[in-house]
């Protein structure tokens, strides 16, 4: 998308250029359904469940709870998860993965060993393991994505995990799976070659060369076990000024380019300076920039592949996380359980991620919100029930656009500057098209705290229908939060009659709001 910024000085000229129906407009969005970037891959609506705090135990899984079913899964949580349409679920971590030995988590639950979890300083009972996870995926209709232990684990342990899950012949590990109640293979297609191995906080942290050697051998052994699996390399997620994240990716991509299908990227953001426009502007710029840099790196190594094969970005951890990211060690951080309470502005932050994923739909082919329940999550439980956090609602609405074609939409809006960064438009826009439904979705975040922005929306191909379906998230209090029995922040929906002129119309996007317009095009 061309997100063209116009300096405030240029705004006066624009006001003269774009008056429509007597109403001055300050911005323009041009939709052309011929300008397709790529399909919005359904895996962009993935999620992540780690053995951390109350995500698994007390979230997804709570044996003995009156709210749990006979398999131990919380029924209320499952009912809240289903509307999210989680396409792919990543497990068991995260940092946890780098110290996890999967063989501890199979067989009769009472015989499984309890182990110290040195990623987060917890006690792992192993009552939830591979079979429970894969069963949960079946129940919610998600594709499982297992991240191997590339920290303290071994290549053969990873290969045997694939054998346990996918082998059809009567081998040792396939027979163990059968003994544990699962005759047919789980057929796990997506495997991660470790988590954040570039981070010094990671158990078994390695330099890029050592990681690449391990990952290459793991990939070879895992693929010999099952040649149909997809593999995700651990890209860098260490954006600290002293870390060479670009160098890490370069080495990993060069060494693994003939083996991998994706390279991962992680980003957590926060409103640390309590500055709304900076929060939604600077982070949007960073996300876009990181995607573009990794895309360029992928293109560079692809030109030297033995046989051309695509490599995509799996943005397999993303979210708002800063309130509970205090402390100098992971053990300290874990004290909070990472139980972030999201407010209204955090719900708007979901848009800067999705808009960036959509605008880069040709390369971002998977994304996993971190995480599903309680731990930096859209669903929050206690023993008696749950409530939906503010961030829950945009996830559902954006999720309706899976499989649509992302459009190279042109958006021009008044700009502002954050420090010495380049100017950024107040409107953050993406658009998708469903040829089947002949519907265009226009996703517009107005990140101005003070200004409503009247916008001319023009459609270049096909005739616009005279009505729009409007989904809007807005609240007078940027800091408003939801709670048990008090879901104050929720979206509003309505139908809007459009006054069409020259196959376009004017729509005013309210200050600090997220609007998704569904337009019909004939
Ligand atoms: O999602 C929480 C943690 O954030 C994950 O365990 C780790 O991969 C990342 O640093």
């Amino acid at each position: 998308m061309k997100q063209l910024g116009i300096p405030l000085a240029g705004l006066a000229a624009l006001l003269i250029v774009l008056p429509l129906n007597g109403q001055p407009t300050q911005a323009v969005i041009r939709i052309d359904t011929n300008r397709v970037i790529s399909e919005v891959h359904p895996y962009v609506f993935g999620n992540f469940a780690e053995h951390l705090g109350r995500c698994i135990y007390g979230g997804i899984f709570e044996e003995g709870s009156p709210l749990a079913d006979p398999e131990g899964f919380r029924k209320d949580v499952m009912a809240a998860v289903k509307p999210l349409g989680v396409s792919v679920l990543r497990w068991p971590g995260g940092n946890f993965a780098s110290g996890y030995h999967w063989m501890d988590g199979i067989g009769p639950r009472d015989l499984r060993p309890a182990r110290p979890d040195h990623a987060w300083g917890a006690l792992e009972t192993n009552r939830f393991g591979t079979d429970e996870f894969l069963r949960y995926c079946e129940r919610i209709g998600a594709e499982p994505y297992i991240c191997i232990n590339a920290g303290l684990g071994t290549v053969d342990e990873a290969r045997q995990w694939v054998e346990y899950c996918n082998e059809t012949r009567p081998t040792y590990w396939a027979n163990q799976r059968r003994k544990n109640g699962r005759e047919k293979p789980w057929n796990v297609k997506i495997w991660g070659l470790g988590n954040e191995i570039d981070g010094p906080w990671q158990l078994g942290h390695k330099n890029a060369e050592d990681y690449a050697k391990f990952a290459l051998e793991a990939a070879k052994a895992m693929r010999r076990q099952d040649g149909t699996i997809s593999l995700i390399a651990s890209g860098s997620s260490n954006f600290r000024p002293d870390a060479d994240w670009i160098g890490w990716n370069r080495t990993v991509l060069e060494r693994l380019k003939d083996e991998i299908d994706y390279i991962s990227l992680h980003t957590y953001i926060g409103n640390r300076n309590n500055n709304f426009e900076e929060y939604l502007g600077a982070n949007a710029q960073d996300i876009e920039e990181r995607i573009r840099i990794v895309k360029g790196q992928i293109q560079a190594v692809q030109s030297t592949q033995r046989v051309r094969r695509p490599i995509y970005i799996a943005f397999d951890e993303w979210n708002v996380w800063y309130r509970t990211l205090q402390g100098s060690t992971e053990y300290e951080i874990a004290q909070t359980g990472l139980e972030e309470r999201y407010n209204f502005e955090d719900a708007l932050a979901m848009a800067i991620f999705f808009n960036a994923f959509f605008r880069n739909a040709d390369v971002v082919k998977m994304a996993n919100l971190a995480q599903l329940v309680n731990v930096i999550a859209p669903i929050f439980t206690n023993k008696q029930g749950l409530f939906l956090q503010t961030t829950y609602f945009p996830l559902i609405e954006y999720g309706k656009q899976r499989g649509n074609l992302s459009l190279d939409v042109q958006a021009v809006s008044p700009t502002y500057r954050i420090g010495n960064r380049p100017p950024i438009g107040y409107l953050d826009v993406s658009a998708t098209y469903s040829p089947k439904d002949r519907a265009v979705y226009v996703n517009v975040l107005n990140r101005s705290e003070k200004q409503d922005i009247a916008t001319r929306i023009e459609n270049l191909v096909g005739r616009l229908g005279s009505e729009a379906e409007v989904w809007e998230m807005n609240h007078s209090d940027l800091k408003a939060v939801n709670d048990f029995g008090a879901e104050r922040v929720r979206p509003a929906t309505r139908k809007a009659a459009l006054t069409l002129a020259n196959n376009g119309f004017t729509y005013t996007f309210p200050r600090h709001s997220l609007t998704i317009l569904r337009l019909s095009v004939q």
Side-chain angles (χ1 to χ4, degrees), residues 58 78 115 202 223 301 314 329 334 338 345 398 453 482 516:
M78 211 179 288
R115 303 267 190 210
Q202 201 69 209
R223 278 206 200 283
V301 298
T329 65
L338 284 65
E345 65 187 14
Y398 273 98
I453 299 185
N482 289 347
I516 299 181

Side-chain angles (χ1 to χ4, degrees), residues 48 50 52 94-95 120 195-196 268 317 321 338 370-371 376:
F48 171 36
E50 179 168 8
L52 166 54
N95 295 345
W120 298 106
N195 175 73
E196 295 187 357
Y268 292 101
E317 286 187 34
W321 178 23
L338 284 65
Q371 302 190 5
I376 45 174

Side-chain angles (χ1 to χ4, degrees), residues 102-161:
W102 68 271
M103 293 166 197
D104 291 341
I106 56 168
R109 281 187 198 148
D110 291 340
L111 299 182
R112 297 182 195 174
R115 303 267 190 210
D117 157 26
H118 291 303
W120 298 106
L123 178 88
E124 175 55 52
T125 64
N126 280 307
R127 294 186 72 81
F128 188 98
T130 300
D131 292 298
E132 286 80 10
F133 167 66
L134 294 172
R135 179 73 184 128
Y136 195 72
C137 288
E138 267 187 356
R139 296 280 304 275
I140 65 168
E143 197 68 48
Y145 159 8
I146 292 182
C147 181
I148 67 162
N149 179 347
L152 304 183
T154 67
V155 166
D156 202 34
E157 187 181 7
R159 187 205 59 75
Q160 291 174 88
W161 208 351

